[in-house]
Amino acid sequence: MSSSPETFSLDPSSSSSSNNPRPPLPISEYEVFLSFRGPDVRQTFADHLYSCFARSKIRTFRDEEELRKGEVIAPSLVRAIKESKIHIPIFTENYAASKWCLQELAQMVRCWKERKGHIILPIFYFVDPRDVRHQIGPYWEAFEQHSLKHDLETTREWRESLQEVGKMKGWHITKSSGEGAMIDQIFTEVELRLRTSHTLLVTDQLVGVNFHVQEVMRLLTQEFADERMVGIYGMGGLGKTTIAKAVYNKVNMHFDRCCFIENIRQILSENGGVEILQNKIISSILKNDREIKDTGDRIHQIKNRVCKHKILIVLDDVDGMFQFEEILGNIGNFSSESRFIVTTRDRRVLEFLQVYKSYELKEMSRDHSLQLFSKHAFRMDYPPEDYVNLSDEFVQVAAGLPLALKVIGSLLFQTNLIFWEQKLAELKEIPAAKVQERLKISFNELTYNEKQIFLDIACFFVGVNKESPIFMWSDCDFYPGSAIRTLVLRSLIRINEKDEFWMHDHIRDLGRAIVREENFRNPGKRSRVWSNKDALNMLMDLEQLTGLRYLEVRCGSLTGDFTEVLPNIRWLRLHDCDSIPTDMDLEKLIVLDMKDCPVKDSWRSWNSIKGLESLHTLEIVVCKSIRKLPDLSGLRELEWLCLDGCTQLTEVPGLGRLESLEYLSMAGCSSIKRLPDLSGLNNLTTLNVRKCPKLKELKGLERLEMLQVVETDKRLKVRHLLRSVARYGKRITRSVRGVLN
């Protein structure tokens, strides 16, 4: 182990585990598919409905009739229909006049008949459902024309699709209908339907959970005046979070709004923890990502807006630092139908919160323990006959703790009897109360590279998207692909649905304890430092920083010349800093992430950065002093470039020659007037130039075969983009907004 720290974080909010270094790359998955005839409702009802969905982060494919070319709908449209759970055809008087609308409808009905969870919610906009169902009036006239151009089999399928959907329950909008109220009804129904299909990720290795879930649900549904909270308590590693998630998945559709807040104990241990927690709750319930800085404003939002809904909030891993009234106000302000589920290791916390309905989660029974152990040790429910006795002994050693059963079982998977006997002897020497020591036997079996990655995740990257750390580890020759696979197979980490690293807090604490053991007295001699206090002390001695490969500083001030201070840095993250070093040597840098820092055109470190062939990620976000970036053409490996919120930025030299670039975002660069021809960005998949009012045109997009997502403002001209969509339609996975020509 290195005598000087490899990584550390300087952050008034302590650990970076709650910070995601970047949003994940856009996925080609939609929740809702809107089908409509453009001239009828594109600028009115369809646009209002789409905007309503977008504000609530519902991924919606809005079909644009201008994108339709040829006689049949493009593969990209077919895929979008198949991927979407909910299909919303907006029937208007002239809907049936469009052969593309009818083709889309037929595809929706095919998906619906396959019974794979697709839902059709029709809207009859100033048209009688009977006209749709029986093809009379304008629909009869449309089919008179179609019969002259299309074969009988095709028109028969279209007619049958209209008949089928015309019988379905939907919304009939007439002159007497209030469109705003109708859109609100549609949104409520769609959100409810999506919520029933979107469940929190729970491990597929569940054993004996149903009984606990039913008991908690029984408490949750009991009617007691003024009692809105239910508690789940028990020692760490028993599965309280798993039970809470399973309950949440079963009951969330009965509430107007829901949120599940994990790791509250850790959040509140950070500086500004109350603010972080309040903003999480407000954004989840009100569907608003705006971060509220003012304490009074947050309290006002909770009291006057959050409380008005019938809500379900799960507060996971609460300890004595949690003060309900400080964070959420008086519980009496909430609807009597609202419910809170609180999980904690300490029953006294529930007593302090006056939670009178609580459920104690105890150790697993012997039978359930054996089954869970076998699922991980043998990938089957019960052990083979010649392993029964040994398995029983391991189950006794694990003492009914699910986490220990998973980790120990995963360690023994596909190993021989000799290894089993050795590990059993080791475990028997460790007292039952020392859970971390028992988990450590799995860590001891890791290779050097696997240990480095495990410790990095435990100290810094829980809750962080995996992509940037993987690039850093690759540059350090840690071979992260195989190492991460091993850690997952050993049940030491998990990759969640957002491609973020997840680690049980017991295992995270184990990793941090291992690092502390490197030097109990002097944190500066450890390989990793995540404590803000320890990191501040280290900055007083710059010589201790030379071994760093990861450095994170938030709300700090770094002044002076840092030449030769960070020769091994791979990932530099500076957020909300009052000042930054005048000069740095960054020859090995893989990721540069700066947010709200006073970086300027004249920053001397640009000379070091602009020629970095190894740089993978460059994020210069909300840096309002910079007007012109250096020539970026030398960044041959750059894949991710984010310049959001750089309001004074007017020029990005070399941008058009970044052949490896996959993601480009310049949202909110309000001074940018022009960009170079982008036709050389052969690997670009995502482009975001929203809120760039002075940018009038984009050139070269028609040649970009890999381009999937384009986010623009309505008045921006994108030359030949519609032709590009027609040519490469199968690769377009999101509707292009605001294209005029």
Side-chain angles (χ1 to χ4, degrees):
M1 201 70 71
S2 172
S3 61
S4 61
E6 296 175 344
T7 55
F8 82 85
S9 169
L10 175 61
D11 181 358
S13 62
S14 187
S15 167
S16 66
S17 62
S18 64
N19 302 311
N20 194 334
R22 63 169 58 177
L25 282 171
I27 55 177
S28 58
E29 179 183 328
Y30 298 95
E31 298 169 301
V32 175
F33 184 96
L34 289 183
S35 174
F36 54 88
R37 184 175 180 273
D40 294 348
V41 289
R42 181 192 300 112
Q43 302 297 334
T44 53
F45 183 81
D47 187 60
H48 299 155
L49 183 60
Y50 178 87
S51 297
C52 180
F53 290 152
R55 283 193 298 272
S56 294
K57 312 303 179 187
I58 294 175
R59 297 190 302 277
T60 306
F61 191 104
R62 175 173 57 178
D63 186 17
E64 299 282 0
E65 193 163 85
E66 285 84 351
L67 303 184
R68 300 164 176 160
K69 300 291 180 182
E71 291 299 311
V72 296
I73 57 175
S76 61
L77 294 179
V78 174
R79 187 170 67 247
I81 293 171
K82 289 182 176 180
E83 290 174 349
S84 301
K85 176 179 175 59
I86 296 177
H87 304 141
I88 303 181
I90 304 175
F91 293 113
T92 50
E93 185 174 288
N94 296 310
Y95 183 91
S98 168
K99 63 174 182 274
W100 294 288
C101 286
L102 294 173
Q103 290 175 28
E104 291 168 3
L105 186 71
Q107 181 62 52
M108 294 178 203
V109 172
R110 286 185 216 120
C111 292
W112 175 73
K113 287 183 176 179
E114 290 174 358
R115 300 189 181 279
K116 293 183 178 179
H118 295 283
I119 300 167
I120 301 177
L121 299 175
I123 298 172
F124 304 94
Y125 188 80
F126 292 95
V127 63
D128 195 310
R130 290 171 296 182
D131 292 357
V132 176
R133 188 161 58 245
H134 302 299
Q135 293 99 62
I136 56 179
Y139 281 67
W140 178 84
E141 296 172 4
F143 273 91
E144 286 288 295
Q145 296 298 315
H146 290 315
S147 64
L148 301 176
K149 302 176 183 178
H150 303 282
D151 59 72
L152 181 61
E153 184 178 349
T154 298
T155 56
R156 181 187 294 120
E157 183 184 23
W158 293 350
R159 286 182 181 276
E160 290 174 353
S161 298
L162 287 167
Q163 290 170 3
E164 197 74 64
V165 179
K167 293 185 293 185
M168 294 180 180
K169 184 178 179 181
W171 295 271
H172 185 195
I173 298 177
T174 64
K175 290 182 179 179
S176 61
S177 304
E179 290 194 11
M182 296 299 290
I183 286 176
D184 189 56
Q185 288 182 28
I186 296 165
F187 167 76
T188 301
E189 179 69 18
V190 168
E191 186 187 41
L192 178 61
R193 298 273 190 154
L194 290 175
R195 201 189 305 157
T196 59
S197 65
H198 289 182
T199 58
L200 295 176
L201 184 63
V202 180
T203 174
D204 57 358
Q205 305 287 1
L206 296 179
V207 174
V209 166
N210 287 340
F211 172 77
H212 302 301
V213 170
Q214 293 302 322
E215 287 298 298
V216 175
M217 289 181 63
R218 181 179 60 81
L219 293 174
L220 200 63
T221 55
Q222 286 178 352
E223 294 295 336
F224 291 103
D226 298 325
E227 289 189 26
R228 300 171 177 85
M229 285 195 279
V230 170
I232 305 173
Y233 68 96
M235 68 176 291
L238 284 176
K240 297 183 294 297
T241 301
T242 299
I243 301 301
K245 285 183 176 180
V247 172
Y248 179 95
N249 288 340
K250 283 184 173 291
V251 304
N252 70 74
M253 71 288 301
H254 300 298
F255 296 85
D256 298 336
R257 301 288 171 87
C258 308
C259 69
F260 193 109
I261 310 294
E262 295 189 74
N263 302 318
I264 288 178
R265 177 165 55 95
Q266 180 182 337
I267 292 171
L268 291 180
S269 69
E270 303 171 355
N271 286 345
V274 170
E275 177 183 338
I276 295 170
L277 188 54
Q278 288 176 330
N279 274 316
K280 281 179 177 287
I281 293 170
I282 292 169
S283 65
S284 296
I285 299 299
L286 301 183
K287 309 293 184 184
N288 187 344
D289 288 339
R290 183 173 66 91
E291 185 175 330
I292 303 174
K293 295 288 187 180
D294 182 71
T295 302
D297 193 12
R298 292 195 302 273
I299 295 296
H300 176 81
Q301 291 286 323
I302 292 171
K303 182 178 180 180
N304 294 284
R305 297 190 63 196
V306 172
C307 289
K308 303 305 180 186
H309 296 279
K310 176 185 176 183
I311 61 175
L312 171 66
I313 298 181
V314 179
L315 304 166
D316 181 52
D317 195 19
V318 168
D319 67 1
M321 295 178 64
F322 181 83
Q323 307 287 323
F324 190 96
E325 290 202 3
E326 178 187 13
I327 295 166
L328 288 161
N330 192 318
I331 194 169
N333 293 333
F334 290 87
S335 162
S336 60
E337 296 180 298
S338 293
R339 292 292 181 270
F340 299 86
I341 300 175
V342 180
T343 76
T344 181
R345 299 181 183 185
D346 189 348
R347 184 176 184 176
R348 292 173 298 179
V349 170
L350 300 180
E351 293 173 352
F352 179 77
L353 293 173
Q354 297 184 324
V355 178
Y356 301 114
K357 296 188 292 182
S358 61
Y359 180 73
E360 181 181 8
L361 192 60
K362 298 180 179 180
E363 294 81 0
M364 296 185 81
S365 67
R366 182 264 178 197
D367 289 344
H368 284 155
S369 294
L370 182 61
Q371 186 179 354
L372 181 60
F373 173 82
S374 300
K375 281 179 177 290
H376 291 271
F378 306 108
R379 303 302 191 258
M380 51 198 292
D381 284 346
Y382 297 99
E385 188 173 344
D386 51 341
Y387 277 83
V388 170
N389 292 334
L390 266 177
S391 297
D392 267 333
E393 292 197 65
F394 275 105
V395 165
Q396 290 178 30
V397 168
L401 192 66
L403 178 62
L405 290 163
K406 293 176 186 177
V407 172
I408 296 170
S410 299
L411 172 65
L412 299 172
F413 178 59
Q414 291 186 333
T415 58
N416 57 36
L417 278 169
I418 295 174
F419 185 82
W420 278 57
E421 290 167 351
Q422 290 174 345
K423 293 302 144 189
L424 181 60
E426 286 182 39
L427 284 167
K428 285 184 174 180
E429 294 296 318
I430 304 171
K434 295 188 176 181
V435 176
Q436 277 191 9
E437 288 298 313
R438 294 191 166 190
L439 298 176
K440 192 176 178 180
I441 69 164
S442 187
F443 173 82
N444 292 338
E445 294 299 320
L446 298 175
T447 66
Y448 173 80
N449 290 342
E450 291 162 356
K451 287 178 178 178
Q452 301 314 304
I453 290 177
F454 171 82
L455 295 175
D456 277 1
I457 295 173
C459 294
F460 298 103
F461 300 137
V462 175
V464 170
N465 185 272
K466 67 181 183 179
E467 187 172 351
S468 287
I470 285 175
F471 274 93
M472 178 180 70
W473 294 324
S474 296
D475 193 67
C476 295
D477 294 327
F478 288 164
Y479 303 101
S482 60
I484 290 171
R485 182 175 182 273
T486 298
L487 295 177
V488 171
L489 291 174
R490 295 276 177 90
S491 297
L492 295 174
I493 68 169
R494 194 171 74 215
I495 310 295
N496 68 16
E497 66 275 16
K498 297 179 181 178
D499 270 350
E500 298 167 342
F501 291 116
W502 181 90
M503 182 180 280
H504 192 283
D505 53 3
H506 258 320
I507 297 176
R508 181 202 63 209
D509 293 344
L510 165 66
R512 294 183 174 187
I514 290 170
V515 173
R516 288 191 189 96
E517 290 172 0
E518 295 169 3
N519 195 306
F520 283 109
R521 292 183 178 275
N522 187 353
K525 299 296 184 181
R526 300 173 191 163
S527 62
R528 296 158 182 84
V529 179
W530 59 92
S531 161
N532 183 55
K533 179 181 177 182
D534 294 339
L536 280 169
N537 291 332
M538 283 185 59
L539 277 182
M540 300 299 104
D541 183 2
L542 296 184
E543 291 184 3
Q544 294 192 75
L545 307 183
T546 56
L548 289 179
R549 53 183 166 82
Y550 173 80
L551 172 63
E552 176 181 346
V553 181
R554 300 169 82 81
C555 300
S557 295
L558 301 178
T559 58
D561 191 336
F562 271 52
T563 304
E564 300 182 359
V565 173
L566 300 169
N568 292 296
I569 198 74
R570 263 73 168 198
W571 186 342
L572 180 61
R573 196 174 196 200
L574 306 177
H575 281 203
D576 306 301
C577 293
D578 295 331
S579 60
I580 58 176
T582 56
D583 207 348
M584 289 187 284
D585 288 331
L586 302 171
E587 284 80 5
K588 296 183 179 181
L589 200 65
I590 303 294
V591 179
L592 176 60
D593 176 5
M594 302 179 72
K595 179 181 179 182
D596 199 6
C597 292
V599 60
K600 298 182 179 180
D601 310 10
S602 57
W603 188 39
R604 292 205 297 268
S605 293
W606 285 130
N607 294 324
S608 174
I609 293 168
K610 66 182 183 181
L612 289 176
E613 293 190 7
S614 60
L615 193 69
H616 163 265
T617 298
L618 179 59
E619 295 205 14
I620 309 294
V621 177
V622 198
C623 294
K624 299 180 180 180
S625 299
I626 192 163
R627 298 177 180 274
K628 179 182 177 182
L629 285 173
D631 187 345
L632 303 181
S633 58
L635 305 179
R636 298 181 181 179
E637 299 298 321
L638 191 69
E639 296 183 12
W640 187 283
L641 177 59
C642 182
L643 304 171
D644 291 352
C646 294
T647 53
Q648 299 301 314
L649 186 67
T650 59
E651 196 171 347
V652 189
L655 175 62
R657 298 194 292 276
L658 298 176
E659 295 183 359
S660 298
L661 197 66
E662 297 179 7
Y663 178 93
L664 172 60
S665 182
M666 301 181 65
C669 292
S670 52
S671 298
I672 200 86
K673 294 181 178 180
R674 64 179 62 85
L675 291 177
D677 190 304
L678 301 180
S679 59
L681 307 184
N682 298 323
N683 290 292
L684 192 68
T685 62
T686 303
L687 172 64
N688 184 353
V689 286
R690 293 184 66 80
K691 298 182 180 179
C692 299
K694 296 183 180 179
L695 183 64
K696 302 303 181 185
E697 188 173 19
L698 291 174
K699 299 178 181 179
L701 297 193
E702 70 276 7
R703 300 183 184 179
L704 303 185
E705 299 186 20
M706 303 299 293
L707 191 62
Q708 297 176 348
V709 180
V710 180
E711 297 283 354
T712 71
D713 289 323
K714 291 185 176 181
R715 296 181 180 178
L716 181 64
K717 296 181 180 180
V718 186
R719 280 191 178 178
H720 312 301
L721 184 55
L722 297 183
R723 189 170 64 197
S724 169
V725 171
R727 182 179 177 188
Y728 303 119
K730 64 182 180 179
R731 297 186 177 92
I732 299 297
T733 60
R734 202 173 199 170
S735 59
V736 183
R737 290 179 280 179
V739 177
L740 295 185
N741 73 329

